[in-house]
């Protein structure tokens, strides 16, 4: 099969974090030396695989914890960023680590999905890191979990961040009725796309790029369509990945996570995010165009929510 480009969402075994957010469902593990070594081997194998592919690649690291505090992940990103066939690299991070590794990276290809965690870090410190990214010319988005109790922090963060930085809010999904109409208006004033994340979309049978233009890969090479569909589609180390890709309708009843539903054909999120899709950074031209943003909100609204 001819393939121009593939996005790979990589999640290795690493599952520790230097923070302890009460709302975090994972990252409660402390790795042994042997587990760190296994994670390092898996990462090195993945980087070697990425280097060897004959088509363009974008890679999004979505660790079970915080990976960017580990020099091996910093070096892997820097190394991948310098490869000519890498289009975009993104990583979810709490932005607590040193950013010196960016000195060795091709910054034009890097986008950071930086999440601010109130209670774990002072907002000033987080903002200092954001300012450092701006000074280095690195693209990033900033996000916060929209938990009640975070609202003032979120608004203060919006006021303090430069206007060119997108501040997204992930809905705290604990069941219907968590947000009042006033809450929705308040959070929507900070993140105009917030309402898109408040829904759980009814996705069974809908065309989705997961498994065709984007796949999720584990440390041992197991490939899945996305993080949310358990059934593997193959293994990138024992098979030619191009043979694993084909259009498929979603087999799950619903999809509620941004890193999943943005690949739904009917949502066409790429129209808003462009090459910032993986790091959740909207295309500045679209961001400035109210009509195109409204069209995206409308497409999301037309997708049936559960
Ligand atoms: S920073 Fe992220 S991975 Fe770490 S505890 Fe908080 S939510 Fe979990
Ligand atoms: S809609 Fe979500 S769950 Fe379904 S295939 Fe796409 S990413 Fe996976």
């Amino acid at each position: 099969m001819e393939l121009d480009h593939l996005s790979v969402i990589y999640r290795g075994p690493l599952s520790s974090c230097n923070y302890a957010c009460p709302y975090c469902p994972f990252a409660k593990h402390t790795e042994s030396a042997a587990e760190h070594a296994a994670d390092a081997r898996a990462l090195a194998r993945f980087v070697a695989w990425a280097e060897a592919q004959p088509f363009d690649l974008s890679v999004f690291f979505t660790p079970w914890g915080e990976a960017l505090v580990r020099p091996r992940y910093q070096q892997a990103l820097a190394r991948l960023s310098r490869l000519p066939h890498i289009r975009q690299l993104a990583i979810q991070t709490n932005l607590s680590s040193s950013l010196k590794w960016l000195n060795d990276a091709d910054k034009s290809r890097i986008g950071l999905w930086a999440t601010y965690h109130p209670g774990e870090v002072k907002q000033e410190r987080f903002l200092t890191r954001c300012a450092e990214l701006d000074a280095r010319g690195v693209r990033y988005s900033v996000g916060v979990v929209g938990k009640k109790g975070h609202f003032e922090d979120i608004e203060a963060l919006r006021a303090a961040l430069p206007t060119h930085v997108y501040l997204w809010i992930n809905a705290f999904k604990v069941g219907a009725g968590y947000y009042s109409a006033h809450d929705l208006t308040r959070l929507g004033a900070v993140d105009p796309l917030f309402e898109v994340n408040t829904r759980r979309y009814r996705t069974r049978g809908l065309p989705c790029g997961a498994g065709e233009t984007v796949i999720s890969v584990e440390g041992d090479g197991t490939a899945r369509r996305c993080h949310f569909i358990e059934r593997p589609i193959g293994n990138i180390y024992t098979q030619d990945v191009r043979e694993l890709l084909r259009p498929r309708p979603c087999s799950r009843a619903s999809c509620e996570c941004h890193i999943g539903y943005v690949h739904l054909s009917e949502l066409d999120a790429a129209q808003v995010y462009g090459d910032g899709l993986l790091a959740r950074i909207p295309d500045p031209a679209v961001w400035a165009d109210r009509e195109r943003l409204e069209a995206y909100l409308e497409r999301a609204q037309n997708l049936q929510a559960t």
Side-chain angles (χ1 to χ4, degrees), residues 52-183:
Q53 299 314 300
F55 44 81
D56 285 4
L57 270 179
S58 293
V59 181
F60 183 19
F61 292 87
T62 60
W64 290 116
E66 177 60 33
L68 217 40
V69 289
R70 308 283 167 194
R72 60 181 178 272
Y73 280 89
Q74 300 173 357
Q75 286 153 14
L77 277 159
R79 182 168 168 177
L80 287 170
S81 74
R82 297 192 301 267
L83 299 177
H85 67 295
I86 293 291
R87 287 194 196 167
Q88 283 300 311
L89 288 174
I91 184 165
Q92 292 179 323
T93 175
N94 60 24
L95 215 55
S96 61
S97 69
S98 158
L99 298 172
K100 286 196 186 122
W101 60 276
L102 286 161
N103 293 341
D104 300 322
D106 179 340
K107 294 188 279 290
S108 67
R109 294 184 172 139
I110 290 189
L112 300 183
W113 165 306
T115 309
Y116 166 61
H117 299 284
E120 298 299 307
V121 60
K122 285 203 166 31
Q123 194 172 117
E124 275 170 20
R125 187 177 154 87
F126 183 84
L127 285 165
T128 302
R129 283 286 149 80
C130 294
E132 193 178 336
L133 289 176
D134 282 324
R136 288 172 178 273
V138 177
R139 295 196 309 163
Y140 62 102
S141 68
V142 168
V144 189
V145 176
K147 205 169 176 296
K148 287 181 197 272
H150 287 176
F151 292 3
E152 280 178 21
D153 258 318
I154 290 171
E155 287 165 337
L157 189 61
R158 179 62 280 170
L161 278 170
T163 50
H164 71 268
V165 176
Y166 174 43
L167 172 56
W168 48 264
I169 302 168
N170 265 356
F172 191 58
K173 292 182 177 132
V174 286
Y178 180 73
Y179 294 111
S180 67
H182 175 71
D183 293 339

Side-chain angles (χ1 to χ4, degrees), residues 203-204 206-211 225-229 248-252 254-257 259-264:
T203 48
R204 198 188 304 284
L206 294 184
C208 179
R225 297 185 60 189
C226 58
H227 285 336
F228 319 105
I229 296 180
R248 301 166 169 97
C250 177
S251 58
R252 263 180 70 104
S254 64
C255 189
E256 61 173 356
C257 186
I259 64 173
Y261 60 65
V262 289
H263 302 293
L264 283 168

Side-chain angles (χ1 to χ4, degrees), residues 258-296:
H258 174 91
I259 64 173
Y261 60 65
V262 289
H263 302 293
L264 283 168
S265 312
E266 287 177 32
L267 187 59
D268 194 13
Q271 191 265 342
V272 169
Y273 292 94
D275 67 6
L277 183 72
L278 297 180
R280 206 166 174 172
I281 303 168
D283 178 332
V286 180
W287 195 245
D289 184 340
R290 192 68 216 173
E291 263 182 38
R292 287 161 86 185
L293 283 184
E294 293 288 352
Y296 178 62

Side-chain angles (χ1 to χ4, degrees), residues 235-252:
N235 187 296
I236 62 166
Y237 299 139
T238 57
Q239 293 164 279
D240 183 329
V241 71
R242 289 167 291 192
E243 304 302 321
L244 311 180
L245 308 174
R246 60 184 166 83
R248 301 166 169 97
C250 177
S251 58
R252 263 180 70 104

